[in-house]
Amino acid sequence: MADPAAQTPESVTPEPLIKERFADLLDESMGSSDSLEGTVLKGIVIAIEGDSALIDVGLKSEGRVALKEFAEPGQPSEIKVGDGVEVYLERMENKNGESMLSREKAKREEAWTVLEKSFNDSGRVTGVIFGRVKGGFTVDLSGAVAFLPGSQVDIRPVRDVGPLMGSPQPFQILKMDRSRGNIVVSRRAVLEETRAEQRSELIAGLKEGQVLDGVVKNITDYGAFVDLGGVDGLLHVTDISWKRINHPSESVSIGQQLKVQVIRFNPETQRISLGMKQLEADPWEGVSAKYPVGAKFLGRVTNITDYGAFVELEAGIEGLVHVSEMSWTKKNVHPGKIVSTSQEVEVMVLDVDEQKRRISLGLKQCGSNPWSSFLENFPTGMVIEGEIKNITEFGLFVGLPGDIDGMVHFSDLDWSLAGEEAVKQYRKGSTVKVKVLDVDTTKERVSLGIKQLTEDPFAGALKDVKKGDVVTCTVRQITDNGIEVTLGDGAVGFIRKADLSRERSEQRPDRFAVGEKVDAKISAVDPKTRKITLSIKQREADEEKKAMADYGSAESGASLGEILGAAISKAALERDDTEPEEKADVDEDKPKAAKPKAAAKPKVAKEPKAAKEPKVSKPKEAKEKATKAKTAKATKTKSAAKKSKSDKEGDA
């Protein structure tokens, strides 16, 4: 070894120059560490040790990579010694002096390069959904992990993504940032693009009546959406089957393959209505002959509503039992309290409308009619007992045999009392005797009566009273519209204000007093309303007419006063010439020609042994004229009276 002291200054190389040359040589042979870390390098597998492979990438030390990074998920690794691989250099060396390599990151870098190219070209990429995260899913794009939002999975919201996970799916890259390692993809964009192409082809050749194959994509309460291959159609719940279906899920399920028929197609809105039942025979054809009116059949209750129950006679044919046709006696009851769903019942066909596809059924017609049975057992006029079920504003409802109710109207409670007063005598739940008045099986009504159990006092009172009779009655009550009177037999009548007198000034109810007796003529008798109408005015008119007929004539030109004066003079002369024994035969109550009350006409004198003459009111003027004419006609009147007397005695 040469002695350092012997070395000359010229032979010694300056130290800075040596350092610069060494760094350059190192960079040339191994490269800069800053440029290698984070890049993909090519290496050779030099050994397989346990579950890792030793790879030489040309650095001062080798690196280890797990074997599972070289295999597909769930598959064994097929790498062997001598194979060339690409790995990602994370660090030059770790604490053990080995290079830190990764095959997965190398594949990711390769994928990023491919994805960037596809993103720039707006192309599609293939990936696999392998995980679920908040707001969406994770997708493996050949080593690169991307995010798939939940709204971008399908065209319509998908509740179950299970069938899509693990299988390759096409995606469209919406956004990517390599520096942050962020990729957002969409499956919906690919489906919409594909759907638009298929939709155009399908719609171009679509027509009503065409039969297509489809897949159920979604189910709602009103039907199911069927994918026809790029375009969706609605299969309404009423077009799934001829029989009643409450919910589409009873017949179809998501993902089910179906054969459907195009019922309606609107080219403008591109809405397609589909049907399944149209591919089957219509059970309503010839239903009128199969289910004639009046026939009885067994059926199953399929649905109950507020207005009735639907009964299935056979698959696809249902009839409605209206609530009014369910029971003879149970009224205003919900159908669910009479029948139950799935119950088998016997029904009768009431009406069939084949065009409207409606069948009216009756449940109560299959049992006996309690109204007809009641009429057979309890004919009109029979007296029975029953419990008061209810008291309403128009009558009493009484429970009768056969679980039916009859009604006693207020007008049939009492002969004399008003219905509002008579009903106060009865209580709900008490037992009463009633008489059957009428049974209407068609309207399902039974009319009853309580007052009919006794004789009608009004009818008895009218036996000897008829229209046109003049009766003496007693004032019972005075009202503004007239007076209420009582006849001698107890019947009650009424005299209107306008019928109180012929004189308008005397048509005042207040000039009468309660208990006063008056004579009036019966003008009307109404047995139904139990009313008797009387008139004083009519009685006075009849008396005047009779006086004119007896003592005057139209040809004589005599006034009413002259006639009445002559009648009075005649009566006076007859009283003077009548023998005592003849006077004894005359009625003591014969009226005298006394001065009447104000506005009252004097009584007409009666002939001997004659019936009582009606009272006739005499005006003041008539009295004065009668006095003046008395002397002039006395002789003539006396001769006429004697002649009349002789004729009557001869008749006697």
Side-chain angles (χ1 to χ4, degrees):
M1 186 174 181
D3 186 3
Q7 295 180 1
T8 60
E10 292 81 3
S11 62
V12 179
T13 304
E15 186 175 355
L17 182 60
I18 296 174
K19 287 183 178 181
E20 290 179 2
R21 290 178 180 176
F22 181 77
D24 293 340
L25 293 174
L26 184 62
D27 290 341
E28 289 178 3
S29 61
M30 301 188 66
S32 175
S33 62
D34 295 339
S35 61
L36 293 178
E37 288 185 358
T39 61
V40 178
L41 304 176
K42 291 184 179 181
I44 299 174
V45 179
I46 60 176
I48 303 294
E49 297 178 356
D51 58 353
S52 62
L54 190 63
I55 300 175
D56 182 12
V57 292
L59 300 178
K60 66 178 181 178
S61 59
E62 296 81 11
R64 294 179 182 274
V65 180
L67 294 177
K68 64 180 181 179
E69 295 187 18
F70 296 95
E72 296 296 332
Q75 301 293 329
S77 175
E78 297 180 355
I79 193 172
K80 59 184 182 295
V81 177
D83 290 346
V85 294
E86 292 184 350
V87 292
Y88 180 82
L89 178 62
E90 297 183 17
R91 290 180 60 184
M92 292 296 294
E93 60 180 5
N94 57 12
K95 63 180 180 178
N96 297 326
E98 297 178 345
S99 300
M100 295 183 63
L101 307 176
S102 172
R103 172 60 183 165
E104 288 185 352
K105 291 185 178 181
K107 292 191 294 183
R108 188 180 304 168
E109 289 297 320
E110 294 174 1
W112 270 96
T113 303
V114 176
L115 294 175
E116 283 181 343
K117 186 176 184 303
S118 299
F119 177 67
N120 294 330
D121 298 340
S122 300
R124 300 176 183 176
V125 296
T126 303
V128 178
I129 302 174
F130 67 92
R132 185 188 295 269
V133 294
K134 183 178 180 180
F137 306 89
T138 54
V139 181
D140 181 11
L141 301 177
S142 300
V145 179
F147 174 68
L148 174 64
S151 60
Q152 298 296 323
V153 176
D154 206 330
I155 297 175
R156 291 187 177 89
V158 180
R159 297 181 180 178
D160 185 14
V161 192
L164 300 177
M165 298 185 70
S167 60
Q169 301 286 337
F171 296 94
Q172 181 79 36
I173 299 176
L174 302 180
K175 177 183 177 183
M176 67 181 304
D177 188 348
R178 187 164 187 173
S179 61
R180 296 183 178 181
N182 184 19
I183 304 176
V184 180
V185 295
S186 171
R187 180 174 175 267
R188 176 178 179 176
V190 177
L191 294 178
E192 287 179 346
E193 185 178 347
T194 306
R195 180 186 179 91
E197 298 175 358
Q198 295 177 349
R199 185 185 185 95
S200 300
E201 296 177 1
L202 181 63
I203 290 178
L206 195 65
K207 58 183 179 180
E208 294 183 0
Q210 185 177 358
V211 179
L212 302 172
D213 292 326
V215 180
V216 179
K217 292 187 62 177
N218 193 19
I219 296 177
T220 63
D221 293 337
Y222 53 86
F225 287 94
V226 180
D227 185 3
L228 302 176
V231 61
D232 291 349
L234 174 61
L235 176 63
H236 198 269
V237 63
T238 57
D239 293 317
I240 295 178
S241 176
W242 291 109
K243 66 179 183 180
R244 177 180 293 273
I245 296 177
N246 296 322
H247 197 273
S249 59
E250 297 177 6
S251 299
V252 297
S253 58
I254 296 178
Q256 182 180 352
Q257 297 282 341
L258 298 178
K259 189 175 288 295
V260 293
Q261 183 180 25
V262 179
I263 301 175
R264 288 178 299 276
F265 171 60
N266 191 336
E268 296 180 359
T269 60
Q270 295 187 352
R271 291 184 178 180
I272 305 172
S273 298
L274 306 174
M276 284 178 59
K277 70 179 184 181
Q278 286 76 8
L279 301 176
E280 303 174 356
D282 187 359
W284 283 89
E285 293 182 0
V287 71
S288 300
K290 191 184 300 183
Y291 298 99
V293 176
K296 297 180 181 179
F297 299 92
L298 288 176
R300 182 178 60 87
V301 179
T302 58
N303 191 25
I304 297 176
T305 65
D306 293 337
Y307 53 85
F310 288 92
V311 177
E312 184 182 46
L313 300 177
E314 66 173 75
I317 296 182
E318 287 184 348
L320 173 64
V321 181
H322 195 266
V323 64
S324 62
E325 305 295 342
M326 303 195 79
S327 175
W328 291 109
T329 57
K330 296 179 181 178
K331 305 297 182 182
N332 300 324
V333 177
H334 192 275
K337 296 184 179 181
I338 301 177
V339 295
S340 58
T341 307
S342 301
Q343 179 183 351
E344 193 176 60
V345 294
E346 185 180 18
V347 292
M348 177 184 287
V349 179
L350 303 180
D351 183 54
V352 178
D353 192 335
E354 193 168 338
Q355 293 182 349
K356 294 184 179 180
R357 296 174 178 267
R358 294 177 181 175
I359 298 180
S360 298
L361 304 174
L363 187 64
K364 68 182 183 181
Q365 286 78 4
C366 295
S368 59
N369 187 347
W371 308 94
S372 300
S373 302
F374 181 85
L375 182 58
E376 294 176 1
N377 299 327
F378 304 96
T380 302
M382 191 170 182
V383 178
I384 56 177
E385 286 188 356
E387 180 184 350
I388 299 177
K389 297 291 186 180
N390 194 17
I391 300 177
T392 65
E393 58 183 5
F394 50 82
L396 308 178
F397 283 92
V398 180
L400 302 175
D403 198 22
I404 63 176
D405 293 342
M407 189 188 76
V408 182
H409 195 268
F410 274 180
S411 60
D412 293 319
L413 290 176
D414 195 278
W415 289 113
S416 56
L417 294 178
E420 293 76 7
E421 295 295 329
V423 75
K424 297 179 181 179
Q425 304 175 4
Y426 301 94
R427 294 291 180 269
K428 184 178 179 180
S430 60
T431 302
V432 293
K433 282 187 177 182
V434 292
K435 187 175 184 179
V436 179
L437 303 181
D438 181 55
V439 180
D440 192 336
T441 57
T442 304
K443 296 182 179 179
E444 299 179 0
R445 295 176 181 175
V446 177
S447 299
L448 306 173
I450 295 179
K451 71 179 184 181
Q452 286 78 5
L453 298 174
T454 59
E455 187 178 354
D456 185 3
F458 185 80
L462 295 181
K463 289 182 180 179
D464 300 328
V465 176
K466 62 181 181 297
K467 181 179 179 180
D469 290 349
V470 176
V471 296
T472 301
C473 47
T474 305
V475 178
R476 178 184 178 184
Q477 186 179 0
I478 299 174
T479 65
D480 294 337
N481 298 325
I483 60 174
E484 187 176 301
V485 296
T486 304
L487 280 67
D489 47 17
V492 178
F494 188 78
I495 304 176
R496 296 181 303 171
K497 182 178 180 180
D499 292 326
L500 291 177
S501 176
R502 290 191 65 191
E503 299 295 333
R504 194 175 188 86
S505 60
E506 298 299 324
Q507 294 177 353
R508 294 179 291 103
D510 56 359
R511 73 186 184 90
F512 295 89
V514 176
E516 180 181 353
K517 294 185 179 297
V518 294
D519 291 340
K521 182 180 180 180
I522 299 176
S523 57
V525 178
D526 191 345
K528 292 184 178 180
T529 59
R530 302 170 59 81
K531 292 182 178 180
I532 301 176
T533 305
L534 302 98
S535 174
I536 298 176
K537 176 180 178 180
Q538 187 64 41
R539 176 188 64 78
E540 293 176 348
D542 291 346
E543 290 176 352
E544 180 179 329
K545 186 183 296 185
K546 188 175 185 303
M548 290 287 291
D550 291 343
Y551 303 108
S553 64
E555 291 80 3
S556 65
S559 64
L560 178 61
E562 295 174 345
I563 295 172
L564 292 178
I568 294 171
S569 301
K570 177 182 177 181
L573 292 174
E574 288 178 351
R575 283 197 299 272
D576 295 337
D577 296 338
T578 303
E579 297 297 330
E581 60 273 11
E582 292 177 350
K583 291 182 181 180
D585 297 334
V586 179
D587 187 2
E588 294 179 356
D589 296 331
K590 183 173 65 173
K592 298 180 180 180
K595 183 180 180 181
K597 297 180 180 179
K601 298 181 180 181
K603 298 180 181 179
V604 179
K606 297 182 179 179
E607 295 180 0
K609 299 183 181 180
K612 183 179 180 181
E613 294 291 338
K615 298 178 180 179
V616 179
S617 299
K618 179 182 178 182
K620 183 176 181 181
E621 296 82 355
K623 183 178 179 181
E624 293 176 354
K625 291 181 179 181
T627 304
K628 294 178 181 180
K630 181 177 180 181
T631 304
K633 298 183 179 181
T635 305
K636 184 178 179 180
T637 303
K638 184 175 181 181
S639 300
K642 288 182 179 181
K643 183 179 180 181
S644 176
K645 178 180 177 183
S646 301
D647 294 339
K648 289 181 180 180
E649 289 176 352
D651 294 338

